[in-house]
Amino acid sequence: MQIEVNNVTYTYNKKRFDEFEALKGISLKIDKGEFVALVGKTGSGKSTLIQTFNGLILPTSGYVKVDDFIVTGDKKLKRQLLKKESKEVQILNKKKAYLLRKKVGMVFQFPEYQLFADTILKDVMFGPLNFKVEENLAKEKSINALKSVGIDESYFERNPFELSGGEKRRVAIAGILASEPDILILDEPTAGLDPNGKKEIMNLIKDIHKEGKTIILVTHDMDVVMDYVDKIFVLNDGKLLEETTPNILFNKENILDYSLEIPTFYKFKNLLKKYGFCKDLSKINEFNELIDIICEDKND
Amino acid sequence: MTNIFGKYTQYNTIIHKCDPRIKILGLILIMVICFLPYGSNYMNQLAILAVLGVVIVSLMIIAKINFLDFFKSLKVMWFMVIFLLIINVFIPYGNNEHVMISFSNGYTLYWEGVLNTFMVVFRLILMIALTMILTSTTTPMDITYGFEWYLSPLKIFKFPTQVVAMTISLALRFIPTLLEQANRIMKAQKSRGVDYNRGFLSKKIKSITTLIVPLLVSCFSISDDLSLAMEARGYDPYGKRSRYRILKFSIYDLVSILFFIILLGAFIYLSVITNHYGVNIIETLFPLTEGVTF
Ligand SMILES: Nc1ncnc2c1ncn2[C@@H]1O[C@H](COP(=O)(O)OP(=O)(O)OP(=O)(O)O)[C@@H](O)[C@H]1O
Ligand SMILES: [Mg+2]
């Protein structure tokens, strides 16, 4: 178990006139090396939940455990939990809590807003340097990260503010990758990109996943979910509605109740059914299988 | 960062319902009261400031201001407090009697300096409280209308009051947006390992630049978009604009005007008798304390 979310609640602006309970008791588990998606309609608490994973938000009650790090705003609970742990874990949690941010890399929605340095390379090196990586090594890691997101060497000394939106986003993602996190969390990484840019970013994420890293993706794009993700957590109104796989979720009769967009493939399947295609399609989950069955039907 | 002072709170108290023009006037009047001279007797000055403090705290309670937010917004003052303390203690002025430290070369530091600092800081805290009362009970729009109304006599001199008012209202409108943006950027940078709370000065300056630069960039892009959007909707800075909310006087306003006039009168009276005639109010009110002067 790499990430364990245990009955987490979170209230924004606690004890004020505009207090708002964004998470209402969520429990879930994510294993090492999984590629999971968090989906749910706007305001369902996805962004809030992922921010508890690297301690930007401390749960009001309940706790999140990421490997040996314990994240909770409930001091009493934290003391209790730490008591059970070994000495090293206690020290890790007290003195080296910042290492959690190295372990869990978080790419926010529109990450291009985080750029600040005067050259692209310096900006990407900022993360590793903060995590006390030695300068030369940080440079090497940054160059690798930039290359992996497809930024050419000729760009390294340029000013990040001169780049296009999509390029900025890639530099920002490289800025997270350079710290070599074990877990990569991405909040709507494809928002506002053209289809090509979207594909590039998603393929990049897939490659990172292949290196054995855990990927947590927050997205509204169900085509992406269908094509890349192994497991889905559906959130609604601050609660976990369901934990499924893409095939099970999109084949559901009541999929419309989830207020999720339906992937193109399933829309097409539904259309076929609606216009009287009579073969059983419920086991078909890929385009080639669908094409085979349509050809068969034509030949009959 | 979200609990910064100056955020409008949506309650329905008397102070919320009051006309913004009167609130602005009241704010200025009470600020004047805060800085009136109240003679040279320290006990008197402290007593009067305490009374003012009670008045302002009651106003804050009526306006349902969150005291936690208030204390948080005071946190930024410590630097100024130290600065004032140094200036006041090392450059003695006025009548100093109580020696704190006496250097061998005859240069002496007095306790009065510390007391003066305390009073200045207390006055500043009162000012912050007052501004907070205004901004948390009045929408930015209303505050601007209020200012525009006060500026309107300048129209005779062809002073573009609407333009100024629009600028102020936009600035006020975008404070929460920028705070939100700052919060977002800080979270992104924290994810890259920045610790905004710890570290020495040089490290702190470095981490602040990681916030300021992106914030300025987004500031410019917001203002760019905004000016285009305003032009696209036909905004003409010198044109005549109608408005949605019309300000009208009500009974609350009359009561509050009376309140301010009485308050101002009372404190001016106090100021005059203490400052010009040297009356010691505490001794006059409580003859028991006679002889116990500071
Ligand atoms: N800083 C904040 N202060 C107060 N309430 C907030 C704050 N941030 C989010 N919320 C509220 O918490 C709820 C959950 O927000 P969250 O950002 O987690 O939603 P989301 O699932 O990420 O939505 P989206 O898909 O639009 O990004 C929303 O109803 C929102 O209004
Ligand atoms: Mg979100």
Side-chain angles (χ1 to χ4, degrees), chain B residues 4 6-8 140 171-182:
Chain B
I4 210 86
K7 205 171 161 191
Y8 178 66
L172 290 173
R173 155 69 185 78
F174 279 97
I175 288 173
T177 313
L178 286 179
L179 283 179
E180 207 172 285
Q181 193 79 7

Side-chain angles (χ1 to χ4, degrees), chain A residues 10 12-13 51 56-57 108, chain B residues 1-3 7 175-191 196 211 215:
Chain A
Y10 184 73
Y12 279 107
N13 304 332
Q51 285 175 49
L56 286 175
I57 284 180
F108 280 90
Chain B
M1 210 57 186
T2 49
N3 301 327
K7 205 171 161 191
I175 288 173
T177 313
L178 286 179
L179 283 179
E180 207 172 285
Q181 193 79 7
N183 200 8
R184 259 177 50 180
I185 295 168
M186 272 167 84
K187 277 183 172 170
Q189 305 297 26
K190 277 186 197 167
S191 302
Y196 286 102
L211 170 65
L215 198 59

Side-chain angles (χ1 to χ4, degrees), chain A residues 13 15-18 51 54 56-57 101 106 108-109 113-116 123 126-127 130-131 161 175-176, chain B residues 2-3 7-11 66 69 181 184-185 187-194 210 213-214 217:
Chain A
N13 304 332
K15 298 209 178 113
R16 284 162 46 97
F17 72 102
D18 52 353
Q51 285 175 49
N54 78 345
L56 286 175
I57 284 180
R101 307 247 163 95
M106 173 100 62
F108 280 90
Q109 201 169 356
Y113 286 123
Q114 70 181 37
L115 303 177
F116 73 95
D123 202 285
F126 181 64
N130 277 327
F131 295 118
F161 298 107
I176 303 292
Chain B
T2 49
N3 301 327
K7 205 171 161 191
Y8 178 66
T9 54
Q10 213 156 10
Y11 291 118
N66 187 329
D69 288 359
Q181 193 79 7
R184 259 177 50 180
I185 295 168
K187 277 183 172 170
Q189 305 297 26
K190 277 186 197 167
S191 302
R192 293 210 276 169
V194 182
T210 66
V213 174
V217 170

Side-chain angles (χ1 to χ4, degrees), chain A residues 268-284 290 293-298 300:
Chain A
F268 182 55
K269 236 168 79 167
N270 291 345
L271 277 178
L272 279 177
K273 238 187 267 173
K274 192 171 153 197
Y275 286 101
F277 189 76
C278 44
K279 289 218 164 147
D280 178 28
L281 290 177
S282 57
K283 295 250 157 52
I284 310 290
L290 191 62
I293 213 166
I294 291 174
C295 293
E296 246 174 62
D297 186 69
K298 216 172 162 192
D300 282 350

